[in-house]
Amino acid sequence: MKLISTGLLAAVLVPALAGAQVTADAPKSGWRNSAGARETYSQEVNYPASSVNLQPGQSETAQIRGRIANAPKGKPATLVVNGVAMPLELDENGRYGRPYGFGNGSNSVEVRAPGGKGRARTQFYDNYEGKTQARLRVVLSWDSPGTDLDLHVVTPEGGHAWYGNRVTSDGGALDVDVTTGYGPEIFSSAAPPKGNYHVYVNYFGSGADQSILTIAQVAIITNENTPREKQQVFRVPMRAAGELTLVKSFVFP
């Protein structure tokens, strides 16, 4: 029988123990009622750099928040909300935090560490029947840091939601203009008018490196949290600043 020294044994065990550990502080699993909670949808934009962040006073019922210990630096985690995956930016301590407008009914959130080694998953049911429900949600995310992609949604009544006009007259709204990479930027409407919609993505800029190719992902979700829910996901390569791409035209409902 061969003996392994204590020092060698420690060297073997440390890499295994040093894997990323994912914790989710919000949302909490279980049943809840969000009646009366302060849930802010649109957030402030700060130029020249703007990223997704939690606003002061935001209710915990509209937060995704936690930490990934031992996460590799400079790499995003993956956030999956009700089946839609998107990059999730981490700070230097592995913390993450962003607002999210959950609907009533059953919702699931999963956070995966960079590389997929380590994850945390929560599922909850919000039984507040008076809660405003997003019947149309368009989610733009992309796979590179330091890049600025913009979501544009044109509605049947001529509304145009983009970073220069984040709330349309027909009730739709864009949550934030992300200029630092990854996104997401989310357009939602609780009572979308019937008719033709057009979803565009504009490659606004990439800082000093003009050669960055980034993959844009657009998820279109209709009638979320109902038996009629439908999800469509499109991935489009964006090659150069100034490029404007029509990702999808569709008819609602």
Side-chain angles (χ1 to χ4, degrees):
M1 182 177 70
K2 294 182 178 180
L3 299 177
I4 301 177
S5 69
T6 303
L8 180 58
L9 180 62
V12 172
L13 291 178
V14 166
L17 294 175
Q21 300 175 356
V22 185
T23 57
D25 300 321
K28 302 291 187 184
S29 293
W31 289 77
R32 73 184 195 192
N33 188 305
S34 60
R38 183 180 183 272
E39 299 185 348
T40 303
Y41 181 71
S42 293
Q43 66 180 83
E44 294 180 5
V45 175
N46 300 296
Y47 290 104
S50 183
S51 58
V52 180
N53 55 73
L54 289 169
Q55 302 294 296
Q58 175 84 331
S59 171
E60 191 169 278
T61 61
Q63 292 185 24
I64 297 173
R65 176 173 48 84
R67 182 172 183 263
I68 302 179
N70 303 318
K73 304 294 184 182
K75 293 185 177 180
T78 299
L79 171 65
V80 185
V81 181
N82 293 336
V84 176
M86 63 198 84
L88 178 63
E89 191 168 13
L90 306 174
D91 70 11
E92 62 275 9
N93 297 312
R95 297 189 180 279
Y96 60 89
R98 63 149 300 123
Y100 202 92
F102 296 104
N104 67 348
S106 179
N107 293 273
S108 65
V109 174
E110 183 175 309
V111 176
R112 302 171 186 166
K117 295 182 178 180
R119 63 187 62 195
R121 189 174 189 273
T122 60
Q123 184 146 5
F124 65 91
Y125 191 97
D126 192 332
N127 62 2
Y128 175 38
E129 295 183 356
K131 189 168 191 175
T132 301
Q133 196 84 355
R135 294 188 62 205
L136 172 63
R137 196 192 296 265
V138 181
V139 182
L140 167 66
S141 59
W142 56 101
D143 68 351
S144 59
T147 51
D148 182 4
L149 267 59
D150 292 315
L151 177 63
H152 293 250
V153 178
V154 179
T155 69
E157 297 181 355
H160 179 192
W162 60 299
Y163 69 85
N165 181 51
R166 289 163 58 199
V167 179
T168 63
S169 60
D170 52 26
L174 181 67
D175 62 346
V176 69
D177 173 29
V178 180
T179 64
T180 58
Y182 299 127
E185 296 184 5
I186 303 175
F187 170 85
S188 291
S189 178
K194 297 179 180 179
N196 294 306
Y197 287 78
H198 308 285
V199 179
Y200 293 84
V201 174
N202 179 44
Y203 193 158
F204 188 84
S206 56
D209 188 352
Q210 299 294 318
S211 63
I212 295 177
L213 182 147
T214 185
I215 305 298
Q217 175 182 285
V218 173
I220 301 173
I221 307 106
T222 56
N223 298 306
E224 190 175 32
N225 284 357
T226 74
R228 297 180 292 116
E229 179 177 329
K230 181 180 180 181
Q231 290 188 8
Q232 295 177 287
V233 178
F234 306 90
R235 293 180 178 88
V236 179
M238 306 295 291
R239 295 179 174 83
E243 185 176 5
L244 178 67
T245 299
L246 173 62
V247 176
K248 180 66 176 177
S249 295
F250 63 95
V251 177
F252 183 90

